[in-house]
Amino acid sequence: MPGFSPNVICTYPSTHNSSEHVILSAHYDSRGSFGNTRAPGGDDDGSGSGHLLGVVEAIKRGGVRFEKKVQVAFFSGEEQGLFGSHAYAGELLITRIETSADIRIPAQDKRDCDPAYSG
């Protein structure tokens, strides 16, 4: 993806001989889009990626193992048109990797975190 950072993909192996895998994903790009210096992705990118890193830490601490292959994916170029996830979906199609689900970690809504918020 010229002009964008690479996607970051990490893989947990499966404990069983399974061709299926599950993707846990978020996006990490936070910059202006095509000449716009405003970068609204700083909030949702940071909170979504931070939450996914928390999931990865919990997997590590808990010694969790998976029956299916699990991939943790941090996509780039999402604020500019889902470039990272589209590129990765194309790779999965070409390599014929069977995907059961993509669980995307979205932005954390500030209202969920602030007990004083009444709006």
Side-chain angles (χ1 to χ4, degrees):
M1 294 182 314
F4 293 96
S5 299
N7 290 329
V8 178
I9 312 292
C10 305
T11 303
Y12 291 99
S14 62
T15 58
H16 293 72
N17 188 12
S18 173
S19 62
E20 292 182 77
H21 74 274
V22 172
I23 302 170
L24 306 175
S25 66
H27 60 282
Y28 73 92
D29 59 318
S30 181
R31 66 180 180 88
S33 297
F34 303 112
N36 184 354
T37 57
R38 188 171 173 273
D43 182 28
D44 69 322
D45 298 353
S47 63
S49 294
H51 281 87
L52 185 52
L53 286 171
V55 169
V56 169
E57 178 65 21
I59 291 168
K60 178 183 174 186
R61 285 184 186 228
V64 177
R65 297 175 48 90
F66 301 98
E67 289 184 14
K68 296 178 182 176
K69 186 187 304 182
V70 172
Q71 291 189 315
V72 177
F74 295 89
F75 295 123
S76 179
E78 298 304 280
E79 300 296 340
Q80 294 75 31
L82 305 175
F83 292 131
S85 55
H86 280 232
Y88 190 62
E91 289 177 30
L92 294 175
L93 186 63
I94 290 169
T95 57
R96 298 179 185 253
I97 293 176
E98 188 176 345
T99 304
S100 300
D102 176 5
I103 302 167
R104 174 140 314 189
I105 309 296
Q108 175 67 43
D109 191 329
K110 292 178 190 172
R111 294 173 290 188
D112 294 339
C113 300
D114 186 358
Y117 183 81
S118 61

